[in-house]
């Protein structure tokens, strides 16, 4: 569990990794896991458990892999605890899964040969997720989904321990709420660079599929189905490219569920803060960002604002398409405009505290009071380019 700690001797780490490889290949070599999870495995993964019972290593860790795919269906408290350790280990080093190691070997060599270390290799594979072979993609998706929960993502947990204490200590654990809180605060100046880097990687991964956004997946499936059924959104096979996320953010006014509407509001706010949070935008806008905003720090709405000021110079049509969706939302809605949320806190409290967000009411209220003497210049600047200025 602590093999990535800086103080561990390299030879010791090598021995530990070899031991982990062995234990992840056979269910019964993990005594506590076998003790606590056999009943759940009998109920949920009988075929895999049957192969593992021969204890000849030909099961290739299939029981652990099977249970990892259906974590929410595991009933035993002790089993959940032991399984969380195994899944956390595989999230840190996917290649501990024997099947994944087999089906992803060619993809690793093709896309990530130059990446050094477990973290770099996994980030590389996440970046190339849509290009992976079908079998590799299926295996990767299990741990990419699990890593969206702070419980299993030990890299983020370690890097962001102080940030959790500072911003998220009162957030209830489970269902991805802690990770959501961290992502909402990732551009705050109180977040250290190491934490922000791991969160940027988490954010990049989440653009690949709704499956890596647990709160959205849990609350918005019904709304997505309605939007597809009424032809508002076109379904794409396999959920590739985060199309469901685009469907929700681009048609948020048609979302019926209050819970789904709330989590999509958070996603739109993150996209307003950082264009890279929108599926496909990081790649589509990379060249234009390098050309037009070379010295602008990402996050805090800065890149979005830079591109808006230089919109006539944006060369990529795909980038224009992606960023325009964010601009339209920023222009019409204060609740999902990151810079307004950041710089107009006092103005909202002073002039609009009784205004219910929605239907541009909050933005309209700010516009009515923009000439007040106490209205800050930063808030006025944030309103520039919206429907009220």
């Amino acid at each position: 569990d602590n093999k990535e700690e800086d103080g561990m001797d390299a030879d010791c780490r090598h021995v530990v990794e070899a031991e982990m490889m062995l234990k992840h290949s056979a269910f019964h070599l993990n005594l506590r896991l076998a003790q606590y999870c056999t009943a759940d495995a009998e109920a949920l993964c009988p075929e895999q458990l049957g192969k593992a019972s021969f204890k000849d290593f030909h099961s290739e860790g299939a029981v652990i892999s099977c249970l990892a795919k259906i974590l929410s269906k595991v009933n035993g408290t002790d089993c959940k605890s032991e399984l969380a350790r195994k899944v956390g280990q595989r999230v840190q080093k996917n290649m501990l899964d024997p099947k994944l190691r087999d089906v992803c070997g060619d993809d690793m060599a093709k896309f990530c040969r130059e990446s050094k270390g477990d973290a770099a290799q996994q980030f590389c594979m996440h970046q190339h997720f849509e290009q992976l072979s079908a079998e590799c993609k299926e295996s990767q998706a299990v741990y990419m989904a699990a890593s969206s929960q702070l419980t299993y993502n030990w890299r983020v947990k370690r890097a962001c321990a102080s940030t959790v204490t500072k911003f998220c200590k009162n957030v209830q654990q489970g269902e991805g709420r802690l990770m959501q809180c961290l992502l909402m605060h990732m551009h705050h100046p109180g977040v250290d660079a190491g934490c922000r880097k791991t969160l940027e990687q988490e954010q990049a991964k989440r653009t690949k599929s709704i499956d890596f956004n647990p709160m959205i997946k849990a609350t918005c499936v019904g709304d997505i189905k309605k939007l597809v059924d009424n032809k508002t959104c076109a379904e794409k096979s396999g959920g590739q490219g985060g199309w469901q996320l685009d469907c929700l953010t681009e048609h948020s006014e048609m979302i019926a569920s209050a819970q789904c509407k709330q989590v999509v509001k958070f996603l739109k706010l993150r996209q307003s803060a950082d264009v890279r949070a929108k599926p496909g935008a990081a790649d589509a806008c990379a060249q234009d960002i390098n050309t037009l905003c070379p010295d602008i720090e990402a996050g805090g709405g800065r890149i979005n604002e830079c591109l808006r000021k230089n919109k006539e110079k944006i060369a990529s049509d795909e980038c224009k398409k992606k960023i325009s969706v964010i601009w339209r939302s920023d222009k019409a809605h204060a609740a999902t405009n990151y810079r307004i949320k950041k710089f107009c806190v006092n103005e909202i409290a002073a002039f609009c505290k009784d205004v219910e967000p929605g239907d541009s009411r909050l933005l309209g209220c700010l516009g009515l009071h923009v000439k007040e003497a106490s209205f800050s210049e930063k808030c006025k600047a944030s309103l520039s380019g919206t429907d009220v200025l």
Side-chain angles (χ1 to χ4, degrees):
D1 294 353
N2 298 291
K3 74 179 185 67
E4 292 195 357
E5 294 294 331
D6 292 336
M8 183 175 285
D9 178 80
D11 290 336
C12 177
R13 182 178 288 110
H14 180 74
V15 172
V16 169
E17 288 182 344
E19 177 76 4
M20 289 171 69
M21 284 283 193
L22 184 64
K23 286 195 169 186
H24 276 267
S25 68
F27 176 67
H28 291 288
L29 286 181
N30 302 272
L31 300 183
R32 289 173 62 85
L33 190 70
Q35 177 184 353
Y36 295 131
C37 292
T38 295
D40 279 296
E42 286 174 344
L44 301 171
C45 309
E47 182 180 346
Q48 291 85 351
L49 185 64
K51 291 181 179 179
S53 66
F54 289 102
K55 301 181 181 180
D56 59 0
F57 296 97
H58 84 287
S59 68
E60 296 186 324
V63 176
I64 302 172
S65 300
C66 174
L67 291 173
K69 290 180 181 179
I70 48 176
L71 286 166
S72 62
K73 295 182 179 181
V74 173
N75 290 318
T77 302
D78 290 330
C79 177
K80 285 181 180 178
S81 177
E82 287 301 311
L83 191 59
R85 289 185 62 247
K86 288 299 175 187
V87 173
Q89 290 167 4
R90 288 188 177 187
V91 165
Q92 284 195 114
K93 186 180 179 69
N94 294 167
M95 292 299 178
L96 287 171
D97 182 332
K99 180 183 177 182
L100 184 147
R101 193 163 63 241
D102 180 48
V103 299
C104 291
D106 289 344
D107 287 303
M108 179 71 77
K110 180 178 181 180
F111 299 114
C112 306
R113 184 185 297 274
E114 303 302 319
S115 301
K116 304 300 180 184
D118 297 337
Q121 288 176 349
Q122 286 175 207
F123 181 55
C124 174
M125 293 292 274
H126 294 175
Q127 287 182 303
H128 292 280
F129 180 71
E130 283 121 349
Q131 299 163 273
L132 302 178
S133 65
E135 281 190 301
C136 179
K137 188 184 297 181
E138 181 182 359
S139 294
Q140 283 283 345
V142 173
Y143 303 110
M144 289 172 73
S147 70
S148 300
Q149 304 268 7
L150 197 63
T151 301
Y152 308 114
N153 196 324
W154 298 350
R155 285 195 183 94
V156 173
K157 185 184 287 188
R158 289 188 180 111
C160 298
S162 64
T163 303
V164 170
T165 301
K166 190 179 297 184
F167 298 109
C168 310
K169 64 180 180 181
N170 295 321
V171 175
Q172 183 183 358
Q173 293 191 35
E175 299 180 6
R177 285 184 286 266
L178 272 174
M179 191 72 84
Q180 170 86 324
C181 176
L182 288 171
L183 288 167
M184 291 302 295
H185 289 91
M186 64 185 285
H187 300 301
H188 192 283
V191 176
D192 67 76
C195 175
R196 185 175 292 112
K197 181 179 179 180
T198 62
L199 291 174
E200 286 176 346
Q201 294 176 349
E202 173 65 20
Q203 176 176 267
K205 180 201 71 181
R206 287 181 176 231
T207 65
K208 305 298 182 183
S209 170
I210 194 174
D211 292 335
F212 312 142
N213 296 265
M215 294 183 73
I216 296 176
K217 186 176 181 180
T219 58
C220 295
V221 171
D223 283 287
I224 293 170
K225 185 177 185 305
K226 290 177 184 177
L227 290 167
V228 170
D229 288 347
N230 65 22
K231 310 298 182 184
T232 300
C233 298
E235 185 171 7
K236 297 180 182 178
S237 62
Q240 295 181 20
W243 69 268
Q244 294 109 321
L245 303 176
D246 283 341
C247 173
L248 291 167
T249 56
E250 292 170 22
H251 304 283
S252 57
E253 73 284 352
M254 299 178 69
I255 295 173
S257 161
Q259 287 181 306
C260 177
K261 197 179 288 286
Q262 181 68 11
V263 295
V264 170
K265 184 181 84 169
F266 289 148
L267 176 57
K268 292 176 73 173
L269 196 56
R270 288 201 291 110
Q271 292 178 356
S272 176
D274 190 344
V275 63
R276 298 172 300 175
K278 182 167 181 61
D283 290 337
C285 296
Q287 188 57 54
D288 284 301
I289 290 172
N290 288 337
T291 302
L292 303 172
C293 315
D295 301 317
I296 304 296
E297 182 182 359
R302 289 177 289 268
I303 293 292
N304 298 24
E305 182 65 12
C306 173
L307 290 174
R308 188 176 70 83
K309 289 178 178 178
N310 292 280
K311 60 184 177 182
E312 302 302 328
K313 299 178 184 178
I314 296 175
S316 166
D317 290 337
E318 186 64 17
C319 179
K320 286 180 184 177
K321 180 181 176 182
K322 297 284 185 184
I323 195 72
S324 291
V325 174
I326 300 173
W327 289 341
R328 284 197 297 271
S329 179
D330 282 353
K331 188 172 184 286
H333 303 289
T336 53
N337 184 313
Y338 178 85
R339 294 179 71 80
I340 291 176
K341 292 283 284 185
K342 180 178 181 180
F343 295 118
C344 297
V345 174
N346 294 333
E347 287 77 5
I348 291 171
F351 305 116
C352 311
K353 64 180 180 181
D354 297 322
V355 175
E356 183 182 356
D359 295 327
S360 300
R361 286 186 292 267
L362 186 56
L363 187 63
C365 174
L366 290 169
L368 287 174
H369 295 278
V370 72
K371 293 184 179 180
E372 298 282 350
S374 59
F375 219 90
S376 70
E377 291 302 318
K378 283 190 174 181
C379 184
K380 286 181 183 177
S382 299
L383 292 173
S384 176
T386 69
D387 285 343
V388 297
L389 274 187

